[in-house]
Amino acid sequence: MQSDTRTISEHCRSANLKTERVRIAITLPTFRRPEHLIATLDSLEALNAGDEAAVVVMDNDAEVLEGAAAAAEWLKTARLKGMVIVAHQRGNCHAYNAGWQTALQTFPELEHIAVIDDDELATPGWLDRLRKTAERTGADLVGGPQTPVFSDPSLERWRKHPVFQPHYDRTGPVPILYSSGNVMISRAVLDAMPRPFLDPAFNFIGGGDSDFYRRAKARGFTFAWCAEAAVMETLPSRRTEFSWLNARSLRNGAISAIIEKRQDPGVAGRLRRMGKSVALLLASPVRGVKMWARTGSAVAGLYHLQVAAGRLMAEAGLVNEQYRNPESN
């Protein structure tokens, strides 16, 4: 398979990148965060993974290329080797697809792809812990927590809001994963899944990862969680504003309805989804009071109501494209 140079182009690579030695490619999508991108790369270099790991940076801003330029300069002196590509089509699904495709093409002995975002920092042992969990459990895909780090310490109270909570709290096999911000995927999964890996229909609403995991599960692939393999996610203060939390909660509901529609299309499927959404709406006051009591936050208590509303809005075709304007996300 050859890269489509209209949509993917190589910007640079380490001068002494030994492609045949690489077993794990760490794919790192970026969009207009050059300073934090360098911090992410520094955290990856600190893992001391050796020649068996390489980083693939995917700049999704083909116009300005701030990330590509910053990463290219970083690679000149870094112990961690890798390459920088440009994903010319805007959207996070396009960026992920470009990185995964490039890794498969570039590293003939590739065994796993790991993913970290450009607003995250790898913790010590991150890569090794994901891999060991995969070996121990036999899972094809292993995820880990994205621990929030708020830019203002006074915002720590928001940590208990559901949108910032990990989906699992114990290491071991799990039914499925939901986020691509911290995950390791075996090559067998990528070899088996149809291209594009992530459906571009989810580019600006999110959920392409959840849809990918659902399809991978349908093909018999298995999942695990590694609670010790955390990444630290830097959160700007705007992500604690009600408008952002409301939009994210509504979006979560919409994504769940959209994915269920793909699994169960047709009139009967829609009736089942509507019934589930209405049931969630009716249950949301009681669930909300419990959430409020547990977190001490009335805003967090609205989460279940917002998810139910988001599901119903999606049935009417009203889906918030929260990633359409990354600067405000």
Side-chain angles (χ1 to χ4, degrees):
M1 180 182 64
Q2 298 297 315
S3 293
D4 184 347
T5 55
R6 296 169 299 176
T7 59
I8 306 171
S9 61
E10 182 172 323
H11 184 78
C12 71
R13 67 171 66 189
S14 299
N16 54 349
L17 175 63
K18 299 177 177 65
T19 58
E20 72 283 355
R21 295 191 183 181
V22 174
R23 300 295 185 270
I24 302 175
I26 307 169
T27 56
L28 170 51
T30 188
F31 185 87
R32 297 181 184 175
R33 286 190 184 119
E35 293 182 1
H36 202 294
L37 171 64
I38 297 304
T40 303
L41 288 168
D42 286 343
S43 75
L44 295 176
E45 184 175 47
L47 298 174
N48 294 316
D51 287 346
E52 72 170 8
V55 64
V56 179
V57 176
M58 305 93 78
D59 194 344
N60 198 212
D61 183 11
E63 297 176 0
V64 182
L65 296 176
E66 286 181 313
E73 189 65 27
W74 185 88
L75 283 174
K76 289 180 180 179
T77 58
R79 297 188 309 275
L80 177 64
K81 307 306 177 185
M83 57 194 301
V84 180
I85 65 171
V86 180
H88 293 268
Q89 293 177 290
R90 277 285 309 279
N92 64 350
C93 293
H94 287 313
Y96 280 109
N97 291 335
W100 296 0
Q101 177 179 319
T102 298
L104 288 171
Q105 292 173 342
T106 305
F107 307 116
E109 303 301 321
L110 189 72
E111 297 174 359
H112 291 91
I113 284 178
V115 185
I116 189 170
D117 286 337
D118 67 347
D119 57 354
E120 298 172 341
L121 302 176
T123 56
W126 169 69
L127 200 62
D128 193 47
R129 288 168 178 168
L130 287 174
R131 181 170 52 180
K132 287 183 177 178
T133 299
E135 293 172 352
R136 186 168 58 252
T137 63
D140 302 293
L141 304 97
V142 180
Q146 295 163 266
T147 303
V149 178
F150 296 96
S151 57
D152 183 345
S154 69
L155 301 175
E156 279 292 320
R157 66 186 185 279
W158 293 105
R159 183 180 298 276
K160 294 181 180 181
H161 193 286
V163 302
F164 302 128
Q165 290 290 299
H167 291 97
Y168 306 103
D169 57 9
R170 294 184 180 181
T171 296
V174 294
I176 199 167
L177 299 175
Y178 298 93
S179 172
S180 58
N182 179 7
V183 68
M184 178 176 282
I185 305 171
S186 73
R187 177 166 190 157
V189 175
L190 298 178
D191 284 341
M193 295 295 286
R195 317 294 171 87
F197 300 111
L198 302 189
D199 188 339
F202 293 95
N203 260 327
F204 299 111
I205 62 173
D209 40 15
S210 293
D211 175 67
F212 175 79
Y213 297 145
R214 174 194 59 82
R215 291 184 283 113
K217 182 174 182 176
R219 287 175 174 256
F221 292 109
T222 57
F223 303 82
W225 184 257
C226 182
E228 298 78 23
V231 297
M232 311 305 290
E233 182 180 12
T234 302
L235 297 178
S237 59
R238 64 177 175 274
R239 292 196 180 186
T240 60
E241 295 172 1
F242 179 80
S243 59
W244 189 92
L245 292 167
N246 181 59
R248 177 55 60 97
S249 302
L250 291 171
R251 188 212 67 156
N252 287 354
I255 289 171
S256 67
I258 292 169
I259 292 176
E260 287 175 20
K261 181 178 180 179
R262 292 185 167 209
Q263 292 176 287
D264 190 12
V267 175
R270 180 168 189 176
L271 290 175
R272 280 188 283 270
R273 287 194 310 279
M274 291 291 290
K276 179 178 178 178
S277 298
V278 170
L280 289 172
L281 184 65
L282 293 175
S284 63
V286 173
R287 299 179 74 191
V289 169
K290 291 180 178 179
M291 178 71 72
W292 186 356
R294 183 171 65 83
T295 64
S297 168
V299 174
L302 293 173
Y303 179 72
H304 296 297
L305 173 64
Q306 292 162 328
V307 167
R311 290 176 59 92
L312 292 169
M313 290 170 64
E315 295 293 341
L318 302 174
V319 181
N320 177 39
E321 293 187 328
Q322 199 172 27
Y323 295 150
R324 177 68 70 175
N325 298 305
E327 293 84 356
S328 61
N329 181 42

